[in-house]
């Protein structure tokens, strides 16, 4: 079993997706490990590792972290749109390996969400959705 820096890998992958991240996109502000300091418009994602799935195979290079994504936006609708876009991107992580930083993702599975968190933050004027998934990551490149 190998552990990888999974949150950074998923954040790198998500922020590289110009179909999801950037002005006019569902996750306009991108993915972070902690709340951004400066206020701005658009949805953003906070990522955290919440555990690890059981060993799927005896392969020593595979890690299967459970990653939680908290999706925030100024309206419930914008937060839901961003959460659904993230879920669809995760669901597409099957078949060919996807590069995620220094790792490769073989599949994202056991996707749970989007789930509305009923704790509207009036101070930040934000709504929150949660999406959790297990990522099957390999720490070295897969031979071509």
């Amino acid at each position: 079993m190998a552990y990888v820096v999974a949150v950074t890998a998923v954040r790198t992958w998500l922020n590289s997706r110009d179909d999801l991240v950037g002005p006019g996109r569902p996750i306009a502000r991108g993915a972070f490990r902690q709340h951004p300091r400066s206020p701005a418009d658009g949805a953003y994602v906070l990522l955290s590792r919440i555990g690890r799935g059981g060993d799927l195979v005896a392969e020593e290079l595979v890690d299967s972290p459970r990653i939680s994504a908290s999706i925030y936006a100024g309206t419930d609708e914008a937060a839901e749109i961003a959460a659904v876009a993230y879920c669809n991107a995760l669901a597409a992580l099957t078949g060919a390996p996807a590069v995620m930083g220094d790792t490769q993702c073989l599949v994202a599975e056991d996707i749970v969400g989007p789930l509305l968190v009923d704790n509207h933050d009036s101070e930040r004027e934000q709504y929150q959705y949660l999406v959790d998934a297990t990522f099957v990551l390999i720490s070295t490149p897969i031979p071509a």
Side-chain angles (χ1 to χ4, degrees):
M1 147 188 90
Y3 286 91
V4 300
V5 184
V7 174
T8 298
V10 173
R11 184 187 68 197
T12 299
W13 166 76
L14 185 57
N15 285 336
S16 74
R17 299 282 308 258
D18 60 6
D19 60 327
L20 293 175
V21 175
R25 304 287 186 244
I27 305 169
R29 295 181 65 196
F32 301 88
R33 294 181 71 109
Q34 58 191 9
H35 285 284
R37 292 180 188 252
S38 60
D41 294 330
Y44 66 93
V45 176
L46 288 183
L47 297 169
S48 60
R49 185 174 188 148
I50 59 171
R52 185 172 191 278
D55 288 333
L56 302 174
V57 295
E59 175 63 52
E60 291 188 13
L61 301 176
V62 174
D63 190 5
S64 54
R66 188 96 178 131
I67 304 292
S68 183
S70 297
I71 294 106
Y72 295 91
T75 67
D76 176 55
E77 183 176 17
E80 182 184 22
I81 288 169
V84 167
Y86 179 68
C87 283
N88 286 329
L90 294 180
L93 287 172
T94 58
V99 175
M100 292 187 171
D102 293 337
T103 67
Q104 290 191 30
C105 180
L106 303 179
V107 66
E109 57 189 10
D110 299 326
I111 301 166
V112 177
L115 171 68
L116 174 64
V117 177
D118 192 19
N119 66 345
H120 176 248
D121 186 341
S122 58
E123 182 178 313
R124 289 183 188 240
E125 287 300 318
Q126 294 180 338
Y127 292 83
Q128 178 185 5
Y129 278 78
L130 291 178
V131 177
D132 294 346
T134 298
F135 290 79
V136 179
L137 302 174
I138 189 164
S139 60
T140 61
I142 298 172

